[in-house]
Amino acid sequence: MPSATCVSCQGQRPAALVRPKTSEPYCKVCFFEAFEREIHETIVNEQLFKPGETIAVAASGGKDSTVLAHVLKLLNERHSYGLKLVLLSIDEGITGYRDDSLETVKRNQQQYDLPLIILTYKELYGWSMDEIVKAVGRKNNCTFCGVFRRQALDRGAMKLSVNKIATGHNADDIAETILMNILRGDIARLKRCTSIITGDESDENEGSVIPRCKPLKYAYEKEIVLYAFYKRLDYFSTECLYSPNAYRGNIRTYIKDLERLRPSSIIDIIHSGEQVLVKQTAKMPVQR
Amino acid sequence: MCQINEEDDEAFQALKAAAANKTAISRKCMSCDQDACVVVRIADPMCRKCFEEFFIHKFRSTLSKSNVFGRGERVLIAYSGGPSSTALLHLIADGLSVNARRRLQFQAHVAYIDESSLYPESTDIRDKVTDLITNRLQHPLHIVSIDDNLDKDHDFQQILTERTKSLTAREELVRRRKLKLLFDIAIRENCTKLITGDNCTKLAAQILSDMAQGKGAHVALECNLTDTRNDSVTIVRPFREIMSKEIAMYNRLNSIESLQNADISTMTGPQSSIFQLTETLVNDLQRQFPSTVSTIFRTSDKLEKNLQPHRCDLCCCPLDLSEDQSLVSDEERIKLIQQLFSPTSQNMDSVHVCYACRRLLRDVQPISHSRQK
């Protein structure tokens, strides 16, 4: 039976959980400290923010964006990043899913005392996701939704005059995306998907859009759930109605099985994705 | 059985008629319109003659398109006993024969790595291999045991069972060890090329499995036709665009038998190691989406080789970590790498490993730790 004392404070407090990333026992206090510190190190090492910037936190009411909002606010104060934070939420128009999670975002606005703006697909594009699915059927819905959401975030960000958008993509998401891009043969996306910040001056393709960053890039999904649970954060956790038929589900199961065999696999996949180089001669899709 | 009166039941009679008619319908070969006997790729029926032409042509054109072999070059063929390497031997034998069209011009040697010390039940595998290669195909044969040239502190079987805790790590150690031994044989016999029977299906699973272990930097190398990780011996993969199903069909049509070879992963289940898990995923996806394997392969084919000059001392691939991150400082691990993986008679001052091999070594415990248990 392994020792039940926290490896970080070495027995000052009893261990309350086993950290998914390292499989070591941690007490609650040290876990919070480690989790928050690692995100802070990511922000500093990757130079995600500059003092005085306004950051829109893409908030869906789910665990990732709730934890992101909470931790960013906390670190902003603790380390004096000098940022102004706002919440930006997109209503895709999915009954029974999005309408409930939006109530959570409204509560987050109260709890974190941050400004909030909500944009809907219906007012931006004239279509809600429910209407789209009714028209095209229940396959490949994520493709439409994803494309619309990205543009909606850009428009919302411009309305709020922000400098950057921060999204709650976690390590599991990025690992899934890397594998999906290989399985779907999407070389162009494979090149970009491991970047922690996209759309800034260094990216020739997207000079004119608002940069987007992923402060939670190295945070495991399991740890985000543990953090939200122990901190008793208010979030909404239900799967999107249209996701069971998604291709991504196959990969998600694979990654969960991988994690069980070897917990470091998720970070290992991200390392692999970062090392991948695309041939200069490979044909890339041309943006028209 | 059910109490229906068969002669009177119309529906039953209709079913019987339909079943009888089914056998009378046969599909026609897509190339020559004769009766088809196999289905290639997604739904292309082919007759035996056209299929064999297609198969052999794929193999020969892969080799001749890239001018891989020089005239009279000495090449080493890696034989594992499995269906792919057995088919490889037969195709090469055909290509070398006197009346072959555009005859292959190299000198073929064959190597077999004997892993029987890793399994409790010993078989007469060496005899079977010798019979096939030396007696029937008449190539020079080199059999080397997997624990060749190891000192008494480093018994390979003991390292695998007592010190290595996961099947993933064991599989990867065996894989790297086999390749190292093949390179040694090739260098000893002055062979400048090493031909392996890696097929597209296996490579696709290997690519994803490598990604999962942090070996993304080497994917382009592992699936390329020519693999130059070793300066003296280049690996060649002529089957890289041929599916395992096509090889199985070819072997069946020509009654080519492979040796039944178990390895450490046999009978361990589909979730026992990263490679097994990945192979299961690829096969499941391929069933639903028949272009899966070829898409994985095509994507990897578009990746650029890592051009780092410094190599990993374990797997010989270019390093993907900085100088200080890749340095191995643990005495025991250094000795392990030197014993198992260093080229014969070479003493290393500093040992460096790539990200994936560093992760692999973490699953191998030091001797003192395992002795405690």
Side-chain angles (χ1 to χ4, degrees):
Chain A
M1 183 62 202
S3 70
T5 51
C6 170
V7 302
S8 180
C9 60
Q10 261 128 31
Q12 266 185 51
R13 288 171 285 266
L17 55 104
V18 173
R19 236 199 120 174
K21 202 177 213 172
T22 56
S23 308
E24 289 168 335
Y26 268 71
C27 66
K28 263 195 259 181
V29 175
C30 292
F31 171 62
F32 293 154
E33 190 271 334
F35 184 78
E36 290 157 9
R37 181 177 31 88
E38 283 168 18
I39 296 174
H40 169 65
E41 280 167 357
T42 304
I43 291 174
V44 168
N45 294 340
E46 308 279 351
Q47 296 168 350
L48 294 185
F49 305 126
K50 293 202 256 298
E53 283 184 327
T54 307
I55 311 294
V57 177
S60 63
K63 57 173 171 31
D64 297 326
S65 50
T66 302
V67 167
L68 177 65
H70 176 93
V71 173
L72 270 187
K73 179 162 193 266
L74 190 154
L75 293 178
N76 190 28
E77 285 160 15
R78 183 184 290 169
H79 298 282
S80 311
Y81 291 160
L83 305 172
K84 179 164 173 279
L85 298 173
V86 298
L87 293 174
L88 172 57
S89 200
I90 309 295
D91 179 2
E92 304 98 341
I94 302 176
T95 339
Y97 170 68
R98 189 49 83 204
D99 37 9
D100 290 335
S101 72
L102 279 177
E103 293 307 310
T104 312
V105 181
K106 289 180 190 155
R107 285 200 299 278
N108 286 344
Q109 177 198 16
Q110 307 283 334
Q111 291 152 358
Y112 303 139
D113 191 27
L114 296 171
L116 164 69
I117 186 167
I118 301 177
L119 295 173
T120 69
Y121 279 8
K122 189 74 191 176
E123 67 190 20
L124 283 172
Y125 309 118
W127 287 81
S128 72
M129 267 319 286
D130 285 342
E131 289 167 355
I132 293 176
V133 174
K134 215 181 276 178
V136 302
R138 296 191 78 150
K139 252 185 119 178
N140 298 333
N141 305 130
C142 296
T143 310
F144 291 103
C145 195
V147 171
F148 281 166
R149 189 182 307 109
R150 278 171 193 66
Q151 211 203 61
L153 280 176
D154 283 341
R155 290 211 206 172
M158 283 199 269
K159 245 183 166 170
L160 289 166
S161 311
V162 302
N163 303 101
K164 291 195 176 91
I165 303 173
T167 55
H169 288 96
N170 58 47
D172 297 50
D173 289 330
I174 299 194
E176 279 167 31
T177 307
I178 292 170
L179 295 182
M180 267 202 76
N181 287 333
I182 295 179
L183 282 162
R184 289 295 184 131
D186 200 331
I187 271 282
R189 285 218 174 89
L190 185 60
K191 221 169 89 150
R192 300 196 303 257
C193 66
T194 45
S195 307
I196 196 168
I197 185 162
T198 50
D200 64 353
E201 315 79 53
S202 63
D203 196 338
E204 329 84 47
N205 283 338
E206 304 182 62
S208 56
V209 297
I210 299 191
R212 269 180 261 128
C213 65
K214 307 169 182 128
L216 300 181
K217 180 184 174 191
Y218 298 107
Y220 277 39
E221 189 170 33
K222 279 206 175 111
E223 299 209 340
I224 291 175
V225 174
L226 276 175
Y227 186 86
F229 173 73
Y230 280 121
K231 286 269 185 181
R232 311 227 187 288
L233 298 181
D234 184 4
Y235 68 91
F236 180 76
S237 65
T238 304
E239 245 193 3
C240 173
L241 299 172
Y242 303 129
S243 66
N245 305 318
Y247 187 85
R248 194 175 270 261
N250 297 308
I251 317 239
R252 183 163 290 160
T253 314
Y254 171 67
I255 291 195
K256 288 289 157 243
D257 291 336
L258 264 187
E259 199 186 356
R260 216 178 318 125
L261 272 180
R262 195 188 253 192
S264 67
S265 297
I266 296 176
I267 291 288
D268 295 339
I269 295 177
I270 297 182
H271 174 87
S272 292
E274 288 169 345
Q275 293 299 311
V276 143
L277 287 164
V278 178
K279 275 187 182 144
Q280 300 280 23
T281 49
K283 266 208 284 209
M284 300 274 230
V286 173
Q287 188 159 39
R288 272 173 276 184
Chain B
M1 267 309 289
C2 312
Q3 293 297 310
I4 50 164
N5 192 339
E6 288 187 2
E7 290 95 352
D8 291 342
D9 194 307
E10 283 177 34
F12 186 69
Q13 290 299 330
L15 270 177
K16 263 177 92 172
N21 277 335
K22 235 180 177 171
T23 49
I25 303 168
S26 65
R27 303 178 68 177
K28 295 293 184 195
C29 171
M30 54 184 263
S31 318
C32 67
D33 223 31
Q34 296 293 305
D35 285 343
C37 73
V38 294
V39 176
V40 167
R41 284 187 236 140
I42 300 174
D44 302 337
M46 274 192 162
C47 69
R48 177 180 173 156
K49 189 158 158 295
C50 293
F51 169 69
E52 288 194 13
E53 257 182 52
F54 155 80
F55 186 81
I56 297 172
H57 170 78
K58 239 194 189 175
F59 170 72
R60 298 296 296 274
S61 71
T62 304
L63 288 184
S64 59
K65 230 192 301 186
S66 43
N67 273 326
V68 178
F69 300 112
R71 204 166 237 231
E73 188 172 4
R74 289 164 73 100
V75 315
L76 185 66
I77 305 169
Y79 181 65
S80 66
S84 288
S85 52
T86 314
L88 179 69
L89 279 181
H90 281 260
L91 282 173
I92 288 180
D94 280 344
L96 287 173
S97 71
V98 187
N99 46 5
R101 236 180 346 144
R102 280 185 301 140
R103 190 180 167 193
L104 295 172
Q105 304 274 33
F106 52 70
Q107 285 183 54
H109 290 239
V110 179
Y112 178 78
I113 309 294
D114 182 6
E115 294 174 64
S116 45
S117 65
L118 301 180
Y119 316 114
E121 320 93 39
S122 60
T123 58
D124 52 351
I125 200 102
R126 284 201 184 211
D127 298 332
K128 291 198 185 127
V129 175
T130 312
D131 179 55
L132 170 65
I133 314 259
T134 313
N135 305 341
R136 284 194 274 150
L137 294 174
Q138 293 173 346
H139 292 304
L141 170 63
H142 312 280
I143 301 186
V144 162
S145 167
I146 200 161
D147 24 33
D148 181 59
N149 213 18
L150 294 175
D151 67 24
K152 56 177 175 51
D153 289 330
H154 293 95
D155 177 50
F156 197 54
Q157 213 251 347
Q158 197 189 46
I159 293 173
L160 285 187
T161 44
E162 290 176 27
R163 288 171 61 183
T164 312
K165 289 301 150 191
S166 64
L167 183 61
T168 302
R170 283 181 214 143
E171 281 180 353
E172 294 298 312
L173 280 177
V174 169
R175 176 183 160 204
R176 286 159 172 74
R177 173 80 180 149
K178 285 203 314 210
L179 187 59
K180 177 264 198 245
L181 289 173
L182 286 169
F183 280 145
D184 282 349
I185 299 173
I187 291 173
R188 190 186 75 206
E189 301 297 323
N190 286 317
C191 296
T192 37
K193 298 275 183 341
L194 173 67
I195 308 182
T196 62
D198 296 329
N199 61 56
C200 197
T201 314
K202 173 162 178 259
L203 284 176
Q206 193 79 75
I207 287 164
L208 287 188
S209 165
D210 281 352
M211 290 290 294
Q213 297 179 56
K215 236 174 176 289
H218 310 139
V219 158
L221 203 58
E222 297 271 359
C223 73
N224 208 33
L225 176 65
T226 51
D227 180 334
T228 50
R229 71 180 77 177
N230 185 304
D231 294 321
S232 322
V233 185
T234 301
I235 305 175
V236 181
R237 303 184 178 102
F239 279 172
R240 68 196 277 265
E241 293 184 70
I242 297 180
M243 306 288 160
S244 60
K245 201 173 166 196
E246 291 164 354
I247 291 176
M249 290 196 274
Y250 178 78
N251 285 354
R252 184 145 192 263
L253 289 175
N254 290 283
S255 308
I256 294 174
E257 274 182 25
S258 42
L259 301 176
Q260 198 154 42
N261 50 349
D263 58 26
I264 53 175
S265 325
T266 310
M267 302 252 276
T268 50
Q271 297 215 0
S272 51
S273 73
I274 292 184
F275 183 75
Q276 298 299 317
L277 186 65
T278 315
E279 205 175 36
T280 311
L281 172 78
V282 171
N283 288 335
D284 287 347
L285 286 178
Q286 177 74 8
R287 256 197 298 274
Q288 298 171 61
F289 308 98
S291 57
T292 301
V293 167
S294 49
T295 307
I296 296 173
F297 184 76
R298 290 271 145 252
T299 312
S300 317
D301 205 22
K302 293 185 183 156
L303 299 179
E304 186 62 77
K305 291 189 278 235
N306 178 342
L307 293 171
Q308 252 276 4
H310 301 290
R311 304 279 168 79
C312 170
D313 287 314
L314 221 162
C315 68
C316 301
C317 291
L319 285 179
D320 54 353
L321 288 173
S322 69
E323 170 93 40
D324 40 290
Q325 282 177 326
S326 59
L327 184 68
V328 180
S329 45
D330 181 54
E331 271 301 316
E332 274 196 40
R333 295 217 166 94
I334 293 180
K335 255 194 258 166
L336 182 83
I337 296 174
Q338 279 179 336
Q339 273 292 305
L340 292 179
F341 301 106
S342 83
T344 40
S345 67
Q346 205 193 68
N347 221 338
M348 312 166 193
D349 19 340
S350 67
V351 176
H352 295 267
V353 289
C354 65
Y355 182 98
C357 292
R358 188 180 68 174
R359 181 61 192 84
L360 167 63
L361 284 174
R362 273 197 276 172
D363 278 2
V364 181
Q365 282 160 355
I367 301 178
S368 41
H369 186 113
S370 59
R371 284 220 181 111
Q372 264 174 25
K373 297 212 166 194

